[in-house]
Amino acid sequence: MSASPPLPLLKRVPPGLWTALVWFTAAVQPIIEYVVLPPGPGYSLDYPRDGLHSFAARTLLLLAFALVLAGSALLRRGASVAYGLVLAGTVLSTVAWRQNEIPPMQFLGVDVVLGYVAATRPRRISLRAAAVTLGVLSGYLVLRPFADDDAGTAAEPYVALTVVIAWLVGNSVFQARAHTEELHARAAAQAVTAERLRIAREMHDTVAHSIGIIALQAGAAARVVDTQPARAREAMLTVEKAGRETLSGLRRTLGALRQADQEQVRTDRDRDRTPEGPLPAPAAPHPATGLADVERLVATTTAAGVRVDLRWRGRRRPLPADVDLAAFRIVQESVTNVVRHSGATSCRVRVDHLDDALAIEVSDRGRGGGPDRGWGGGGTDTGYGLVGMRERVALLHGDFTAGPRHGGGFLVAARLPVPRSAWTEAETDSR
């Protein structure tokens, strides 16, 4: 199994750590430059050298550091509370320095938390947080004229612009994540639907054939039970065998469905923890069947009273699993329809191994069209047998036709493309 690529640095570092790094860097830099280092030629109106001389100022600044540190630690567990703590700590830092505005660099930590809130929380919560932030900035702007000194151009509009940008970036991440989760959910729903349709086709093909044989043999046994007891007994043994095979197939299918449901529940729980987890692999209702079982199918149907003339053409080669299974199911369903609906005593099955395709034809000279044997395209097909065959062929990008034959009877024809590369891979796998 190949190792997954490492995450980018932005994703490996927790958002709380990014917040603490940004905020503490902006808060410690003026302390070092204007308080710890010797006086230089420059000075700052925002960070006066005597700004932290009083005990109250130092206490407020320590409290601000504590609030931001607590907010950074709580960011993953409670983003809204963490955002409030970081914002309160930022405001306290300005009070400690006796500032009449929040320096833009100091506000970058608040922007980081706001972006995280917008990316991970519903929009109403992130909008509320952004509104509170803009309200705080508006309060500074309103109180600015009442300050004793004139600090020049107000910085609040520029800081408000960073707030809007941080919210827009976080909201775009939230929308992208929601869209990704929707795509995953849609893909999972489509996979479940496709799997249910596949299982329904398998059950229909298997059960319909067996029930057709059972009905035919039971009717034959009822007609000869008084005159030919041995033949009636043989027919009933065939009924018993077909019934047991059908029951075994149903048990396998139901067991696979139950297992698939349990796996789906576990996968849903895992997806709640990891939204981008892999989708579960579909469960096979029973072991794969292919054209190798056509001879057995022919023997069973012939024993039931409908003679099947099987003809192979071309060089028989191993087929890809999906083509092999589809080919067998088409032959099985077509023969079943002959037994159940045509009233014919015989049918012909032809399988052609062409260079680039597999061609299948099943024909009879029975009654032709009926409610379950509609035309291959847009007719009055109300049964599920032809629908299932048509779906199988469509999934393999082949051609399918079904309808009454010219001169009487019914014809089912399918052409399944098999590229030469698939022939080679199938032959390699068979070795």
Side-chain angles (χ1 to χ4, degrees), residues 317-324 326-327 330 352-360 389-400 413-423 426:
R317 292 162 290 183
L319 295 168
D322 51 353
V323 176
D324 200 16
I330 291 171
D352 291 348
H353 287 263
L354 306 176
D355 291 338
D356 58 349
L358 181 73
I360 300 170
M389 287 189 285
R390 189 175 293 110
E391 288 177 350
R392 288 182 185 276
V393 176
L395 289 174
L396 297 174
H397 307 288
D399 299 322
F400 178 82
R415 182 184 178 91
L416 305 177
V418 183
R420 290 185 178 274
S421 58
W423 289 115

Side-chain angles (χ1 to χ4, degrees), residues 294-381:
V294 168
E295 303 285 353
R296 178 180 58 84
L297 173 68
V298 169
T300 302
T301 308
T302 302
V306 177
R307 184 174 57 83
V308 179
D309 180 16
L310 177 61
R311 298 185 181 183
W312 300 91
R313 292 187 178 181
R315 185 170 66 90
R316 296 176 62 176
R317 292 162 290 183
L319 295 168
D322 51 353
V323 176
D324 200 16
L325 176 61
F328 174 77
R329 292 306 187 195
I330 291 171
V331 174
Q332 183 185 47
E333 176 60 26
S334 301
V335 172
T336 300
N337 284 342
V338 173
V339 174
R340 297 177 60 188
H341 306 296
S342 70
T345 58
S346 65
C347 66
R348 176 179 295 177
V349 176
R350 190 178 72 182
V351 181
D352 291 348
H353 287 263
L354 306 176
D355 291 338
D356 58 349
L358 181 73
I360 300 170
E361 287 189 3
V362 181
S363 59
D364 65 75
R365 293 192 175 276
R367 290 190 295 266
D372 293 319
R373 306 187 69 182
W375 289 87
T380 59
D381 181 10

Side-chain angles (χ1 to χ4, degrees), residues 19 66 81 84 108 110-111 121 123 147 170 197 202-203 235 288 317 337 376 380 383 391 395 400:
T19 302
V81 176
L108 289 179
V110 179
D111 291 338
R121 295 298 182 269
R123 185 173 298 176
L197 288 175
E202 295 294 324
M203 290 184 65
R317 292 162 290 183
N337 284 342
T380 59
E391 288 177 350
L395 289 174
F400 178 82

Side-chain angles (χ1 to χ4, degrees), residues 72 101-102 120 147 153 195 214 216 249 284 338 353 370 380:
S72 301
E101 65 179 7
I102 299 179
T120 58
T153 305
E195 181 67 6
I214 289 173
L216 190 63
V338 173
H353 287 263
T380 59

Side-chain angles (χ1 to χ4, degrees), residues 47-408:
Y47 302 100
R49 187 164 295 278
D50 59 347
L52 299 180
H53 282 181
S54 65
F55 176 78
R58 295 181 179 181
T59 302
L60 287 176
L61 189 59
L62 288 176
L63 181 59
F65 272 85
L67 290 176
V68 174
L69 186 61
S72 301
L74 294 174
L75 187 56
R76 283 190 180 275
R77 288 176 288 179
S80 300
V81 176
Y83 180 71
L85 292 175
V86 174
L87 182 60
T90 305
V91 173
L92 279 182
S93 69
T94 64
V95 176
W97 283 101
R98 299 194 302 274
Q99 295 168 328
N100 60 356
E101 65 179 7
I102 299 179
M105 290 299 297
Q106 191 68 45
F107 211 78
L108 289 179
V110 179
D111 291 338
V112 172
V113 184
L114 178 60
Y116 179 79
V117 172
T120 58
R121 295 298 182 269
R123 185 173 298 176
R124 65 179 185 279
I125 296 178
S126 62
L127 285 175
R128 191 181 307 158
V132 171
T133 307
L134 295 177
V136 171
L137 294 176
S138 300
Y140 273 94
L141 192 61
V142 171
L143 295 176
R144 184 181 178 85
F146 299 98
D148 295 335
D149 55 341
D150 185 11
T153 305
E156 282 77 11
Y158 305 102
V159 177
L161 182 60
T162 65
V163 172
V164 174
I165 293 175
W167 184 88
L168 289 176
V169 172
N171 184 65
S172 65
V173 173
F174 179 82
Q175 290 180 331
R177 183 175 301 170
H179 181 64
T180 301
E181 292 179 358
E182 181 183 356
L183 291 179
H184 276 276
R186 190 178 303 172
Q190 291 175 350
V192 170
T193 301
E195 181 67 6
R196 291 185 182 278
L197 288 175
R198 186 180 70 85
I199 292 174
R201 287 195 298 266
E202 295 294 324
M203 290 184 65
H204 176 274
D205 294 345
T206 303
V207 176
H209 174 73
S210 299
I211 295 300
I213 297 299
I214 289 173
L216 190 63
Q217 292 283 29
R223 288 191 296 270
V224 300
V225 64
D226 295 326
T227 59
Q228 302 179 30
R231 184 176 176 185
R233 183 174 179 274
E234 181 181 352
M236 294 310 298
L237 289 176
T238 303
V239 169
E240 179 186 10
K241 181 180 178 181
R244 291 184 183 276
E245 291 179 353
T246 304
L247 182 59
S248 177
L250 287 175
R251 284 174 177 170
R252 286 194 299 265
T253 302
L254 294 177
L257 287 175
R258 186 177 295 108
Q259 180 182 1
D261 289 340
Q262 294 173 353
E263 291 178 355
Q264 184 66 36
V265 171
R266 289 195 297 268
T267 304
D268 290 340
R269 283 202 305 265
D270 295 339
R271 191 179 293 116
D272 291 339
R273 293 191 294 268
T274 57
E276 296 182 0
L279 295 177
H286 49 72
T289 310
L291 287 177
D293 286 334
V294 168
E295 303 285 353
R296 178 180 58 84
L297 173 68
V298 169
T300 302
T301 308
T302 302
V306 177
R307 184 174 57 83
V308 179
D309 180 16
L310 177 61
R311 298 185 181 183
W312 300 91
R313 292 187 178 181
R315 185 170 66 90
R316 296 176 62 176
R317 292 162 290 183
L319 295 168
D322 51 353
V323 176
D324 200 16
L325 176 61
F328 174 77
R329 292 306 187 195
I330 291 171
V331 174
Q332 183 185 47
E333 176 60 26
S334 301
V335 172
T336 300
N337 284 342
V338 173
V339 174
R340 297 177 60 188
H341 306 296
S342 70
T345 58
S346 65
C347 66
R348 176 179 295 177
V349 176
R350 190 178 72 182
V351 181
D352 291 348
H353 287 263
L354 306 176
D355 291 338
D356 58 349
L358 181 73
I360 300 170
E361 287 189 3
V362 181
S363 59
D364 65 75
R365 293 192 175 276
R367 290 190 295 266
D372 293 319
R373 306 187 69 182
W375 289 87
T380 59
D381 181 10
T382 59
Y384 295 105
L386 296 182
V387 173
M389 287 189 285
R390 189 175 293 110
E391 288 177 350
R392 288 182 185 276
V393 176
L395 289 174
L396 297 174
H397 307 288
D399 299 322
F400 178 82
T401 58
R405 294 175 56 191
H406 180 71

